[in-house]
Amino acid sequence: MEKNRAYCLYYYVFGDLMNQRGGRDEFVSQGYDTWNKKDAFRTHEGSVDSLHNKAKEKCDFLLREKQAINIVLRRQTEAEDHKYKDRLRVSIIAVRLLLKIGLAFRGHDEWVNSGNRGLYIEVLKAIRVTNENIFNNTLENTPKNNQIISPKIQKDLVQCFVQEVLLSIHQEIGVDVFALLVDESSDVSRKEQLANIRGQGYDRASNMREEFNGLKALILQENDTAFYIHCFAHQLQLVVVVVAKKHDGVSDFFEQISLVVNVVCASCKRKYILRDQARERVQKGLCSGELETGRGLNQETTLVRAGDTRWGSHFNTLTSLVKLFADVLVLLEFVQVDGGSLANRQQASGILAYFKSYEFVFYLYMMYDILRLTGTLSKQLQKKIQTF
């Protein structure tokens, strides 16, 4: 475009859309510069149905705010944002509930036709039926790539809660001192799980107390004023374990107890026999008056397997053995006759012979009393109000 020339913007933009090119060059490509002809602009504008006015009408339609493409797209985007936020809000409610009560999120079969798609999706389904707007904006009523139900999305939501909890703890602590007690226990898959966060203490395991790569060293790298305190309850447990393992008679006693549990709990059939025998004994005792009735008395129980790293669990094993001793004898006599294999019958015979020995009776009552006392002390050492 050249200076000192007049051009028609409306006709320049929309003239081609009306398939009219005649007479456009003067106000479009060349520009109008014949300024002595004053009626030229009015002539170009023409009547109501002229090409100029039609082009102007189309331009007005384009520039109208409510009909502009960018406005329509923005409104559509805002509507989708509102739907997504509503969908995300319901997902956050479901995640908060499952995290609060410590339940698993995922299911074995999460397909649409599954009867149980996992707790996360099932909770979403339960919430959405309470509100029509939420129902129309969740799960199958949304795009498949925007349902907020994929495993990765679930993990991301959980991680967001983790960050919020850490931020809340950090804000609460501020510049004050803090304590962190760290312990671990193995789950059924033999993986170590972190548990029992109470204060900064450690057991004597190398992965906790090691000078260079232990958890203690890693914490001291972040905070050199942290105190290293060996858990008193764990020290007590270590003392009991070391003393028991150093004594041949006690060590052999607990090996025999472990063997008893393995034989009794080897099959469901033996567990059923033990349970039925105990029920029959209790019924006879109640009928004869030998046993008292009352709340918490005569509860159904079974032999408890002792844990490898929790010496206090051995007390529970001995307690259950004392309560079920007569029933265990009946079961062992059954295995001794109908054990199925020679090894099973020989195991049952060996245990029955050991039960008749003085050593068994002596160690049973001695260790029962010792573990009962140390168990009580261990619980006292783990109380929140305990200070040292």
Side-chain angles (χ1 to χ4, degrees):
M1 294 184 180
E2 298 182 10
K3 295 183 178 180
N4 298 323
R5 292 176 182 269
Y7 297 88
C8 178
L9 175 63
Y10 301 138
Y11 207 56
Y12 178 83
V13 176
F14 292 99
D16 288 340
L17 296 179
M18 297 175 289
N19 295 323
Q20 297 290 335
R21 291 181 176 273
R24 289 187 60 214
D25 292 343
E26 190 174 15
F27 280 91
V28 176
S29 59
Q30 299 177 0
Y32 180 77
D33 62 352
T34 311
W35 303 109
N36 59 344
K37 294 183 179 181
K38 299 180 180 181
D39 295 335
F41 292 95
R42 189 170 297 147
T43 302
H44 171 76
E45 182 177 356
S47 61
V48 177
D49 295 332
S50 67
L51 297 178
H52 171 84
N53 285 321
K54 289 181 178 180
K56 180 178 181 299
E57 182 180 14
K58 291 183 178 295
C59 185
D60 291 339
F61 285 154
L62 177 64
L63 297 178
R64 284 180 185 176
E65 182 178 357
K66 293 183 179 181
Q67 296 182 353
I69 295 177
N70 61 329
I71 298 299
V72 174
L73 291 177
R74 185 169 69 238
R75 288 182 175 178
Q76 183 179 4
T77 303
E78 291 176 353
E80 292 299 324
D81 287 344
H82 285 303
K83 291 181 180 180
Y84 178 79
K85 289 179 180 179
D86 292 339
R87 194 156 55 247
L88 180 61
R89 189 176 298 110
V90 178
S91 299
I92 291 175
I93 294 174
V95 172
R96 182 188 291 116
L97 172 64
L98 296 178
L99 289 177
K100 182 177 181 180
I101 55 183
L103 296 177
F105 282 53
R106 303 293 308 282
H108 295 291
D109 183 4
E110 296 185 356
W111 292 102
V112 178
N113 297 327
S114 174
N116 183 359
R117 301 179 64 188
L119 288 178
Y120 175 76
I121 298 180
E122 293 298 331
V123 170
L124 290 181
K125 291 167 62 177
I127 296 176
R128 70 197 296 251
V129 299
T130 62
N131 186 287
E132 182 178 359
N133 181 51
I134 296 177
F135 183 88
N136 295 329
N137 192 31
T138 52
L139 298 179
E140 72 277 0
N141 295 327
T142 59
K144 291 184 177 181
N145 62 346
N146 198 11
Q147 294 184 359
I148 318 184
I149 61 174
S150 69
K152 184 179 184 302
I153 292 296
Q154 295 182 36
K155 293 179 180 178
D156 289 342
L157 291 175
V158 172
Q159 189 61 33
C160 290
F161 274 88
V162 171
Q163 296 300 325
E164 289 297 322
V165 171
L166 292 176
L167 179 61
S168 176
I169 294 174
H170 183 268
Q171 292 176 346
E172 182 179 352
I173 294 174
V175 296
D176 295 333
V177 297
F178 70 97
L180 177 66
L181 175 63
V182 178
D183 196 4
E184 61 83 20
S185 60
S186 301
D187 58 16
V188 292
S189 62
R190 298 295 181 181
K191 292 183 179 179
E192 293 182 347
Q193 302 292 334
L194 191 66
N196 197 15
I197 300 179
R198 296 298 183 192
Q200 187 185 335
Y202 312 85
D203 61 19
R204 299 294 293 173
S206 59
N207 60 341
M208 293 290 183
R209 63 180 176 85
E210 189 173 339
E211 183 178 358
F212 299 104
N213 298 322
L215 182 60
K216 166 193 169 183
L218 296 178
I219 293 180
L220 289 175
Q221 289 177 9
E222 299 294 331
N223 186 358
D224 56 3
T225 62
F227 292 96
Y228 169 65
I229 303 172
H230 191 192
C231 175
F232 289 97
H234 191 261
Q235 289 186 54
L236 174 63
Q237 176 174 294
L238 292 179
V239 170
V240 177
V241 171
V242 171
V243 172
K245 288 185 177 180
K246 290 294 183 180
H247 193 282
D248 294 339
V250 175
S251 179
D252 181 62
F253 168 75
F254 280 108
E255 287 183 3
Q256 292 292 331
I257 296 300
S258 177
L259 184 60
V260 171
V261 177
N262 291 336
V263 172
V264 171
C265 301
S267 67
C268 294
K269 180 179 179 181
R270 297 180 187 179
K271 292 180 181 179
Y272 293 149
I273 294 176
L274 181 65
R275 184 189 62 184
D276 294 340
Q277 181 64 30
R279 184 185 295 115
E280 181 180 351
R281 176 179 52 81
V282 171
Q283 290 176 349
K284 290 181 179 179
L286 293 176
C287 294
S288 63
E290 296 179 0
L291 296 178
E292 297 181 358
T293 59
R295 185 175 183 181
L297 298 178
N298 307 314
Q299 297 293 315
E300 182 176 298
T301 184
T302 186
L303 283 184
V304 180
R305 189 180 300 277
D308 295 334
T309 59
R310 295 293 179 267
W311 189 257
S313 63
H314 288 68
F315 176 69
N316 298 328
T317 303
L318 297 185
T319 301
S320 61
L321 178 60
V322 171
K323 290 182 179 179
L324 299 173
F325 187 74
D327 309 313
V328 171
L329 288 178
V330 174
L331 177 59
L332 290 174
E333 291 173 353
F334 169 80
V335 177
Q336 185 181 20
V337 178
D338 299 322
S341 66
L342 178 61
N344 289 337
R345 294 194 296 271
Q346 288 178 342
Q347 279 185 341
S349 299
I351 294 172
L352 287 172
Y354 181 72
F355 278 176
K356 297 177 182 179
S357 66
Y358 170 80
E359 288 79 7
F360 167 73
V361 179
F362 175 79
Y363 288 127
L364 174 63
Y365 284 96
M366 182 186 71
M367 294 308 302
Y368 180 87
D369 290 338
I370 292 176
L371 294 178
R372 176 174 56 83
L373 295 174
T374 56
T376 302
L377 177 58
S378 178
K379 291 180 181 179
Q380 292 294 326
L381 292 174
Q382 297 179 62
K383 282 188 174 181
K384 294 182 180 180
I385 60 174
Q386 201 66 255
T387 57
F388 299 94

